[in-house]
Amino acid sequence: MKSKSILAFCLCLLLCCSLFLTACNKEYSSQKASADTVTTTSAVSTEDEAMQLITGIETTSEVSTSTEAPTTEAQTTVPKKTTAPQKQETPQQNNDGGNNSSAGPVDSKPMTCTITVGEKNLKAEYGDVLTYTYYLKTPKMIENVQAAVNYTPNCLQLIDDKIETTLPVIHSGAIINTENQGVVKYNAINISGFDFREEGVLITLRFKVIFGGSGAIVNAIEFMDEKGAEVAYVDNFKMSKDIKIREELK
């Protein structure tokens, strides 16, 4: 009887343990399921937030790029330079009404130059070559002469010739100086004398017309004595009435 009671007690104890273990197992399973659900939900939520963050960054980048593009284009745009209209130069006018530049006249537009010799005026065109001749006639032979031919260099250019051609009568004892523009200086001396008893050429010069306007050619004799120096035909530009002169320009 006692043995049966012990056996029954053991069976009851086993049954209680079995029920307790079953209940514990169910509770553990339930807690595990809840934990998995929470983990899954958290993972899903974290993934959604990451996607939203990435999408937001991309959207912000696109908006920033599209916003900065016009600014960059505006900064790189350079306005076109405008060229101011150039002022046209008007050629100057000379005294005769012709046009000329600072470089002087051109052959296609000749200009008139009025040249005075003595009491006569000669009109010549640009580029013309003119010959000036000074004739002299004296009562007796002369021993010396000193003189200078002055001309206007603005419109006349001297063309140098040989001394034999320039001073055909007195060249054997003469010196001539043409270094300075506007004047030709010359002098000569010969104790044997220079013969101008018949009209002869004292000096002849050639000029080229290089500009329009007006000019003059003047031969000024400073000294000239008769052979033997007894009579002064010209003394300090004062000319004796016994000599005759004639000038020609052509």
Side-chain angles (χ1 to χ4, degrees), residues 90-127:
T90 305
Q92 299 177 352
Q93 281 194 339
N94 59 16
N95 296 334
D96 294 331
N99 291 332
N100 62 280
S101 64
S102 59
V106 292
D107 292 335
S108 60
K109 294 183 179 180
M111 294 182 296
T112 302
C113 180
T114 303
I115 306 164
T116 302
V117 174
E119 297 179 355
K120 296 181 179 180
N121 295 327
L122 175 69
K123 290 186 177 181
E125 302 298 327
Y126 166 74

Side-chain angles (χ1 to χ4, degrees), residues 3-68:
S3 299
K4 290 182 179 179
S5 298
I6 293 171
L7 181 61
F9 176 76
C10 290
L11 290 173
C12 289
L13 182 60
L14 289 173
L15 180 62
C16 289
C17 289
S18 177
L19 291 175
F20 178 77
L21 291 173
T22 302
C24 289
N25 189 24
K26 288 182 178 180
E27 185 178 357
Y28 173 77
S29 298
S30 176
Q31 290 178 356
K32 184 177 181 181
S34 298
D36 292 341
T37 302
V38 171
T39 303
T40 303
T41 304
S42 176
V44 171
S45 176
T46 303
E47 183 178 358
D48 291 342
E49 290 177 357
M51 290 298 295
Q52 290 178 0
L53 179 61
I54 294 173
T55 305
I57 292 173
E58 291 179 353
T59 305
T60 304
S61 176
E62 290 178 359
V63 172
S64 176
T65 304
S66 61
T67 305
E68 292 177 356

Side-chain angles (χ1 to χ4, degrees), residues 180-247:
N180 298 324
Q181 289 187 351
V183 61
V184 177
K185 297 180 180 181
Y186 62 99
N187 61 66
I189 185 170
N190 188 347
I191 59 175
S192 299
F194 302 112
D195 192 359
F196 286 95
R197 290 174 295 180
E198 297 293 334
E199 185 182 67
V201 176
L202 178 61
I203 187 170
T204 181
L205 298 168
R206 293 195 306 153
F207 297 95
K208 182 178 181 180
V209 179
I210 59 172
F211 213 78
S214 59
I217 303 174
V218 178
N219 182 41
I221 301 176
E222 186 177 3
F223 300 106
M224 186 171 64
D225 296 330
E226 183 185 85
K227 181 182 176 180
E230 295 180 359
V231 178
Y233 289 137
V234 181
D235 184 14
N236 196 22
F237 301 106
K238 294 180 180 180
M239 189 173 294
S240 172
K241 295 180 180 179
D242 294 332
I243 66 172
K244 295 180 180 180
I245 63 168
R246 182 169 63 91
E247 297 172 283

